[in-house]
């Protein structure tokens, strides 16, 4: 029987509430930095510390989740994130602001890894892609709502009121996790039994599964880079065209709305036919969209490309988590997924750097086209190393897909 209650209350609800807080925080970190007399470059670096903290904590997050259990790791991450939000709200200088952002990034890494491992553990394989795609969709919805909720709180108050909102959402998410107990005594989130085999080190897991990381890990890195670049190419190109910042925000919001349309259908296709049937068209769509963006010169075409980019990203919702769940060995799942997320988050950090590098050398269009080529490489890597159909697909669904 599908464990609906622990999936919804143990993962979806706290993830939505937690991500609302992150979404409320993201736009105001640079504003807080400039309020502390930081330059625009330093303010941008402060915002970048969130993914940096997440990337640095990915491997320790795997070890921590293996030691405490998935549920225990999520509870600890929520409490640490709460401390980080208090630090942001009270930071009197840039040093404390930077440390607080790094702490929240690290807590976010632990939270993401633990909920990924938790859902992998309790979800039947036949529903895995739908559940993880829905989790990715919930993540997107939370980040979409967060800035609007933050703006409502900040209106008529200090900008730091957004951090107090984020603190509240984090505490609510943590309380929900604490209230939802695993259905089984040996379920996900339970502490390891005394008679369980010794925990494997991260290094031994990396060595044992080096072939997977050297092949499928490359595909994950490329997909992460393309998806990470999408958050940079739109605002930079609209700035290049001289569009008003308010217009840029609307374009970004339209792309985000398109992003949220396809997460459940994408998961259903992956469960029925296989991961490749979503991964390849998603990367092709995003690659084509990025190739077209530098050819746009007016608002209408920019909006059309933004929608195409959002649809491609929405189509890929949950695919990296699903592939990680498919390949993670049961006895060392948390450690494996910690290493897996280094490739995923490393790619997400690499994509914007490539685009920004193109702008730094005088050709933003060249940087965007390089990432468009990255979409082609990601497509080829997925086609090479991802199985053509799901091992859980039925004979009927394979026949419908033309595989039999």
């Amino acid at each position: 029987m599908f464990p609906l209650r622990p999936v919804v209350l143990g993962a979806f609800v706290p993830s939505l509430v937690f991500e609302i807080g992150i979404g409320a925080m993201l736009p105001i970190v640079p504003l807080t930095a400039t309020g502390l007399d930081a330059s625009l470059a330093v303010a941008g670096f402060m915002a970048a510390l969130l993914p940096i903290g997440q990337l640095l904590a990915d491997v320790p997050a795997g070890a921590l989740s293996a030691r405490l259990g998935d549920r225990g790791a999520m509870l600890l991450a929520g409490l640490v994130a709460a401390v980080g939000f208090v630090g942001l709200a009270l930071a009197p200088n840039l040093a404390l602001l930077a440390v607080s952002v790094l702490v929240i990034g690290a807590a976010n890494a632990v939270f993401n890894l633990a909920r990924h491992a938790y859902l992998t553990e309790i979800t039947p394989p036949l529903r895995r892609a739908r559940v993880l795609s829905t989790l990715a969709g919930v993540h997107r919805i939370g980040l979409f709502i967060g800035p609007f909720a933050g703006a409502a709180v900040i209106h008529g108050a200090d900008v730091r009121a957004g951090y107090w909102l984020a603190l509240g959402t984090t505490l609510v998410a943590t309380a929900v996790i604490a209230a939802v107990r695993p259905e089984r005594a040996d379920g996900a989130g339970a502490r390891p039994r005394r008679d369980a085999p010794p925990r494997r080190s991260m290094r031994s897991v990396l060595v044992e599964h080096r072939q997977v990381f050297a092949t499928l890990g490359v595909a994950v890195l490329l997909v992460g880079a393309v998806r990470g670049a999408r958050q940079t190419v739109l605002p930079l190109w609209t700035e290049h065209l001289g569009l008003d910042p308010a217009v840029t925000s609307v374009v970004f919001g339209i792309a985000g709305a398109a992003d949220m349309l396809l997460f459940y259908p994408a998961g259903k296709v992956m469960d029925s036919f296989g991961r490749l049937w979503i991964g390849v068209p998603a990367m092709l769509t995003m690659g084509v969209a990025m190739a077209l963006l530098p050819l746009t010169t007016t608002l209408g075409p920019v909006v059309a490309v933004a929608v195409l980019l959002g649809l491609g990203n929405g189509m890929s919702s949950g695919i990296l988590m699903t592939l990680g769940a498919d390949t993670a060995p049961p006895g060392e799942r948390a450690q494996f997924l910690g290493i897996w997320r280094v490739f995923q988050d490393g790619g997400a950090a690499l994509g914007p750097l490539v685009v920004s590098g193109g702008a730094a050398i005088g050709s933003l269009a060249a940087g965007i086209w390089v990432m468009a080529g990255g979409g082609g490489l990601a497509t080829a890597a997925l086609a090479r190393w991802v199985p053509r159909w799901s091992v859980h697909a039925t004979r009927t669904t394979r026949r419908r897909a033309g595989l039999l």
Side-chain angles (χ1 to χ4, degrees):
M1 182 177 178
F2 181 55
L4 185 61
R5 180 177 178 273
V7 167
V8 174
L9 295 181
F12 290 169
V13 171
S15 294
L16 174 65
V17 177
F18 188 85
E19 294 302 335
I20 288 174
I22 297 293
M25 178 200 80
L26 288 174
I28 60 176
V29 167
L31 299 179
T32 307
T34 55
L36 294 172
D37 298 325
S39 66
L40 289 178
V42 172
F45 175 72
M46 289 291 172
L49 287 174
L50 184 77
I52 291 173
Q54 187 165 315
L55 182 60
L56 292 175
D58 276 330
V59 170
L64 184 66
S65 185
R67 177 174 294 274
L68 299 181
D70 305 327
R71 181 170 168 273
M74 283 191 283
L75 289 171
L76 178 62
L79 294 176
V80 171
V83 172
F85 283 123
V86 172
L88 287 178
L90 301 178
N93 51 55
L94 291 174
L96 183 56
L97 187 75
V99 170
S100 298
V101 176
L102 277 172
V103 165
I104 293 170
N108 200 31
V110 175
F111 192 89
N112 289 341
L113 181 280
R115 68 183 180 180
H116 185 185
Y118 174 77
L119 288 179
T120 300
E121 178 72 24
I122 69 172
T123 304
L126 285 171
R127 295 176 180 261
R128 178 177 289 160
R130 273 170 286 184
V131 168
L132 292 176
S133 292
T134 302
L135 175 64
V138 165
H139 171 89
R140 287 162 165 78
I141 293 169
L143 290 180
F144 183 77
I145 294 173
F148 296 101
V153 171
I154 292 169
H155 182 67
D158 184 79
V159 69
R160 298 196 187 213
Y163 299 132
W164 295 117
L165 169 66
L167 172 63
T169 60
T170 299
L171 292 176
V172 170
T174 305
V176 172
I177 295 168
V180 179
R181 299 282 179 178
E183 285 198 338
R184 309 185 309 272
D186 60 343
R191 288 183 176 273
R193 301 186 312 272
R194 291 185 178 181
D195 60 343
R199 285 185 296 269
R200 300 282 303 280
S201 70
M202 301 297 288
R203 183 179 182 278
S204 65
V205 173
L206 174 61
V207 171
E208 181 177 345
H209 301 284
R210 61 188 180 277
Q211 184 65 27
V212 174
F213 293 122
T215 54
L216 195 55
V218 172
V220 169
L221 182 74
L222 291 169
V223 171
V226 174
R227 291 169 60 173
R230 89 190 190 285
Q231 295 182 319
T232 304
V233 295
L234 281 177
L236 287 181
W237 189 252
T238 54
E239 173 68 20
H240 171 73
L241 295 180
L243 298 180
D244 187 86
V247 174
T248 296
S249 296
V250 172
V251 172
F252 207 78
I254 291 172
D259 198 338
M260 293 185 291
L261 293 176
L262 298 177
F263 63 85
Y264 187 80
K268 190 169 179 62
V269 170
M270 283 193 282
D271 275 336
S272 298
F273 304 123
R275 314 335 185 188
L276 195 64
W277 292 80
I278 284 298
V280 165
M283 288 301 102
L284 284 176
T285 300
M286 295 187 75
V288 168
M290 287 191 187
L292 292 175
L293 185 61
L295 304 179
T296 61
T297 56
T298 57
L299 179 59
V302 169
V303 171
V305 171
V307 170
L308 185 63
L309 196 58
L311 290 174
N313 191 60
M315 196 186 306
S316 70
S317 178
I319 188 169
L320 296 184
M321 287 192 293
T322 303
L323 289 173
D326 287 342
T327 52
E332 50 215 31
R333 183 173 283 121
Q335 298 96 317
F336 182 95
L337 292 178
I339 300 169
W340 181 271
R341 294 193 75 90
V342 170
F343 287 87
Q344 182 176 333
D345 293 339
L350 177 64
L353 290 177
V354 171
V355 176
S356 300
I361 63 175
S363 179
L364 175 60
I368 296 175
W369 276 327
V370 168
M371 289 315 306
L377 290 176
T379 300
L382 289 171
R384 172 64 181 83
W385 289 308
V386 175
R388 191 177 178 195
W389 62 75
S390 171
V391 296
H392 308 296
T394 66
R395 187 175 181 85
T396 300
T397 55
R398 291 186 191 181
R399 184 183 299 111
R400 289 175 183 170
L403 298 174
L404 289 178

